[in-house]
Amino acid sequence: MSTPTEEPELPAAEPVPRSRWRMQLVWLVPIVAILIGGWLAVKAVMERGEQISISFKTGDGLEAGKTKLKFKDVDIGVVEAVSLTPDHKRVVAKAEVTRDVSDLLVDNTRFWVVRPRISGGTVSGLGTLLSGSYVDVDVGNSPKARRSFVGLEEPPVIASDVPGHEYTLHGTGLGSLDVGTPVFFRRIQVGQVASYQLDPDGHGVTVKVFVNAPYDRFVRTDTRFWHASGVDMSFDSSGLRVETQSIVSIIIGGIAFESPPDSQVETSADTSTRFELYTTRADAMKMHDRIVVKYVVNFADSVRGLTVGAPVDFRGVDIGEVTAIYTRFDPDTRRFSSPVEINLYPERFTSRYQNDGAGGHITDDPRALANYLVEHGFRFQLRTGNLLTGQQYLALDYFPDAPKASIDWSKTPPEMPAIPRTLQSLQESVTRLLAKINNIPFEDIGKDARSTLRTTNAMLGQLNTQVVPKARDTLLSAQSTLDSANAALQPDSSLQQSTEDAMRELTRTAASLRTLADYLAQHPESLVRGKSEDKKP
C-alpha cells in the first residue's frame, strides 16, 4: 500500500492596495477627443473672420448662407444673416469676411449687390442669371477702419483704383444724361458720368464726371463742357451744318469738352474743379466777357420774331445779346411800346488802330462809349436774320439822318434810342404819300377834264362842218384841172392853138392854191372856225 504524496504549501497571498490615480485605458479615447475638439474650437475661433454689417434698401439678391462677398471675383466672405432694421425701413446683411482681407474694411470701402442691370447704355451682371447675385466690394484708401457700412443701390461707375480725375459740372438741366453716359474729347470716349443730383434750390443740376488718365491732362482751367446728346444742326451763311459726337451719343446722350481754340492755358484742372455745363457747343465756345453792361431799347413797332438770346449785331460782329422782352404802357401818350433788355460787352465793341505799333480803344468808359455812339447817329434797329424762320436780331448801326436823341441815364437800366426798321419806314412813307394823294381834288379835276373834252368835241364838229367842205371843193377843182391838162396833152387836142390860154389858166390855179396855203398859214384857226368875214366899218 502506497503512501500519499505530500503537496507543497503555497505562500500566503498578501493584499496590495489599488492606486487612486491610476488611469484606465478606456478613458484615453474621450480625453483625446476632448483635446481635438478644443483644438478645433480654438482654431475655429482664431480663424474666424471679421463680422461686418451692410445696410441696403431692399434684400433683393441677398440670401443667408449663400450670397457671397467677392473682391475682384475672389470669394472673401459670405452673408450669414439678413434681417430688418428696427424701423423696418432698411435691410441689414450680417456677413463674415476672411481674416486675411480685414485690412480692406476701411471707411470709404463700398459694397453693392451685383444683379442684371441696364444703365447708361451698358448691360452688366448677366452672369448672375446662372450663378446668382453676390455682393461686390470696391476697396477704399482711407486709413480709418470700419465694420458697419451702407451699401450702394447702384454699382459705382469708377473703381477706386482707376487712374484719372473727377470733375463737377453744373447746368440748367440733365437732358438725356445718366450714370455711365460717355464723356467725349474730340469724338473719343475718355470718361463717363459718375453721378448726378438736383440742386437744393431746384434751379439746376450737378453732374460729376470722371475722365480717365491720360486724357485728364486735357481738362484745363478754361475747358468748356457741353451736352453732346443727339444731333446739332445749324444753318448759316456756309450752308447746313450737322454735328454729332458718335452714334452712341445720338442714342443715349453724352458730354463733350474742349478748350477754346485761342486758349493759352496749359495748367490742368484739379480734382473736383467746378465747370459750367452748356447746352450746345456754340454756347460753350462763346466769348466770356469780363465787362457786361445792361441797357434797354424801347421799340414802338412789333418785336415779333425777336427772342431771348438773340444777338446784338454791329456790322456782322456780335457785341451783345437780348436778355428780356416785355411790354410797357405810357400813360402820358397812352401808347404801348416793347422794351428790350440787352447785355452789351464793351470789350467786343472796340475800334483798334495802329499808333506807333500799339493798339487802342475808343474809350475805356462804357458810359462815354454809349454817349459817343448815340451822338454820332448810332441807333438800334430790328432786322430779319432768317427769311425762312422770320427770326429777328438787334442791330446797332450808323444812321446819319436819324433824329437827335440821347441816352436816358435816369432809368435803370439806361434806355438807348432806337429807329424803326426799314420796312416800317417805307410803310410810313407810303402812308404819308397816300394821305397826300387823298388830299388831291380829283372831283374838280374830273369836272375840268369833262369841260375840256366838250370844248374839243365842239372844235372837231366845227372842223367837219366848215373846213372839210372847202377842202373837198379845192380838191375837186384840182381834179378838174388835172383832167383838163390830161385832155390838153392828147395828140388830137387843140393844145397848139390854146397853149397860152392853158398856161394862164394853170397860173391862176396855182396862184389860187398859193393864196389858200398862205391864208391857212396865217390863219390856221380857220380850219376849226372857218374863214372870218371882213367886218364893214
Side-chain angles (χ1 to χ4, degrees):
M1 188 173 161
S2 62
T3 305
T5 306
E6 295 181 359
E7 296 179 359
E9 294 182 359
L10 295 175
E14 295 181 359
V16 177
R18 179 179 295 178
S19 176
R20 181 178 295 180
W21 303 104
R22 187 176 180 182
M23 180 181 293
Q24 300 293 333
L25 293 176
V26 70
W27 294 105
L28 190 60
V29 175
I31 291 174
V32 172
I34 291 173
L35 292 175
I36 293 175
W39 177 77
L40 292 176
V42 173
K43 182 179 179 182
V45 172
M46 295 181 63
E47 292 182 352
R48 183 174 177 84
E50 295 285 345
Q51 298 293 320
I52 63 172
S53 64
I54 309 172
S55 173
F56 295 97
K57 284 187 177 181
T58 66
D60 185 18
L62 300 176
E63 189 174 356
K66 292 184 178 180
T67 303
K68 303 292 185 181
L69 272 71
K70 293 186 177 183
F71 175 63
K72 295 186 177 181
D73 289 333
V74 177
D75 292 347
I76 61 172
V78 63
V79 175
E80 294 183 337
V82 180
S83 61
L84 293 172
T85 57
D87 59 1
H88 300 167
K89 293 183 178 180
R90 297 183 67 85
V91 174
V92 177
K94 301 288 186 180
E96 180 184 342
V97 180
T98 56
R99 188 175 293 275
D100 57 345
V101 295
S102 60
D103 58 336
L104 303 181
L105 305 175
V106 294
D107 188 59
N108 56 351
T109 296
R110 298 178 289 184
F111 297 85
W112 67 95
V113 179
V114 178
R115 59 176 74 96
R117 301 175 189 271
I118 300 178
S119 176
T122 60
V123 180
S124 61
L126 292 180
T128 59
L129 294 175
L130 300 178
S131 62
S133 300
Y134 62 92
V135 178
D136 206 350
V137 181
D138 179 45
V139 179
N141 54 6
S142 174
K144 182 180 179 181
R146 187 176 179 180
R147 295 296 181 267
S148 179
F149 301 90
V150 177
L152 303 177
E153 298 305 317
E154 299 288 339
V157 179
I158 310 300
S160 300
D161 57 350
V162 175
H165 285 80
E166 186 178 68
Y167 305 100
T168 302
L169 311 180
H170 185 267
T172 57
L174 187 64
S176 58
L177 302 180
D178 196 359
V179 175
T181 299
V183 176
F184 298 95
F185 176 69
R186 301 191 184 278
R187 293 184 171 84
I188 300 176
Q189 183 174 349
V190 298
Q192 49 276 326
V193 175
S195 63
Y196 61 86
Q197 65 178 4
L198 183 67
D199 292 346
D201 57 5
H203 293 164
V205 294
T206 299
V207 181
K208 291 188 176 182
V209 298
F210 187 87
V211 179
N212 302 317
Y215 305 106
D216 54 346
R217 62 190 177 93
F218 298 112
V219 181
R220 300 182 178 126
T221 54
D222 64 341
T223 295
R224 316 284 173 81
F225 289 81
W226 68 89
H227 284 275
S229 307
V231 179
D232 185 12
M233 301 180 63
S234 62
F235 188 81
D236 53 19
S237 59
S238 61
L240 180 64
R241 298 175 59 188
V242 180
E243 294 184 1
T244 182
Q245 294 296 321
S246 67
I247 299 298
V248 176
S249 66
I250 297 177
I251 299 174
I252 65 173
I255 294 177
F257 70 88
E258 189 178 338
S259 295
D262 56 350
S263 174
Q264 302 294 328
V265 178
E266 298 293 340
T267 305
S268 298
D270 297 331
T271 300
S272 299
T273 301
R274 191 179 183 88
F275 296 93
E276 187 74 19
L277 180 59
Y278 296 93
T279 304
T280 62
R281 185 181 187 277
D283 293 337
M285 291 301 167
K286 283 183 178 179
M287 183 182 299
H288 291 185
D289 300 272
R290 297 171 299 173
I291 303 175
V292 180
V293 183
K294 292 183 176 293
Y295 291 103
V296 169
V297 184
N298 194 22
F299 290 95
D301 51 336
S302 173
V303 293
R304 183 178 181 84
L306 186 68
T307 59
V308 174
V312 178
D313 176 274
F314 174 69
R315 299 182 179 179
V317 179
D318 289 348
I319 61 171
E321 62 180 347
V322 176
T323 58
I325 304 172
Y326 48 92
T327 59
R328 177 194 298 169
F329 178 74
D330 190 346
D332 297 332
T333 60
R334 305 188 67 83
R335 291 184 179 181
F336 284 94
S337 60
S338 300
V340 177
E341 290 188 4
I342 62 174
N343 282 348
L344 283 186
Y345 309 116
E347 292 175 311
R348 301 186 191 182
F349 190 77
T350 57
S351 177
R352 300 188 179 278
Y353 57 87
Q354 294 297 325
N355 184 11
D356 297 331
H361 302 274
I362 293 178
T363 177
D364 294 328
D365 185 0
R367 177 171 293 194
L369 174 61
N371 288 330
Y372 173 85
L373 296 177
V374 172
E375 289 174 1
H376 287 76
F378 281 83
R379 299 290 187 272
F380 285 94
Q381 185 184 50
L382 281 174
R383 293 181 182 176
T384 301
N386 192 313
L387 295 177
L388 297 178
T389 62
Q391 184 178 1
Q392 303 282 334
Y393 69 94
L394 206 57
L396 177 63
D397 210 336
Y398 175 64
F399 299 91
D401 298 330
K404 295 293 183 179
S406 61
I407 302 175
D408 189 353
W409 295 104
S410 63
K411 296 182 178 180
T412 304
E415 186 169 314
M416 301 278 284
I419 193 170
R421 68 184 75 185
T422 305
L423 291 179
Q424 185 182 8
S425 300
L426 178 61
Q427 182 179 359
E428 292 177 353
S429 299
V430 172
T431 302
R432 290 192 296 267
L433 178 61
L434 291 176
K436 293 180 179 179
I437 293 175
N438 290 332
N439 294 328
I440 298 176
F442 287 103
E443 186 176 355
D444 295 340
I445 294 175
K447 293 179 179 179
D448 294 341
R450 285 192 295 269
S451 177
T452 303
L453 288 175
R454 284 195 297 267
T455 302
T456 304
N457 290 331
M459 293 176 63
L460 291 175
Q462 187 177 6
L463 179 65
N464 290 331
T465 57
Q466 297 182 11
V467 178
V468 173
K470 291 183 178 182
R472 185 183 299 113
D473 294 341
T474 303
L475 291 175
L476 290 175
S477 299
Q479 181 67 36
S480 177
T481 302
L482 291 175
D483 290 340
S484 298
N486 187 30
L489 292 176
Q490 296 297 325
D492 55 349
S493 64
S494 57
L495 179 62
Q496 300 297 328
Q497 293 83 10
S498 58
T499 300
E500 185 177 357
D501 296 335
M503 292 299 295
R504 283 195 298 269
E505 189 69 20
L506 288 174
T507 301
R508 286 194 298 269
T509 302
S512 298
L513 291 174
R514 186 180 300 107
T515 301
L516 177 61
D518 293 336
Y519 183 83
L520 291 175
Q522 295 176 3
H523 304 281
E525 69 276 7
S526 61
L527 293 174
V528 178
R529 300 179 181 178
K531 184 177 180 181
S532 59
E533 297 293 336
D534 295 334
K535 296 181 180 180
K536 294 181 179 182

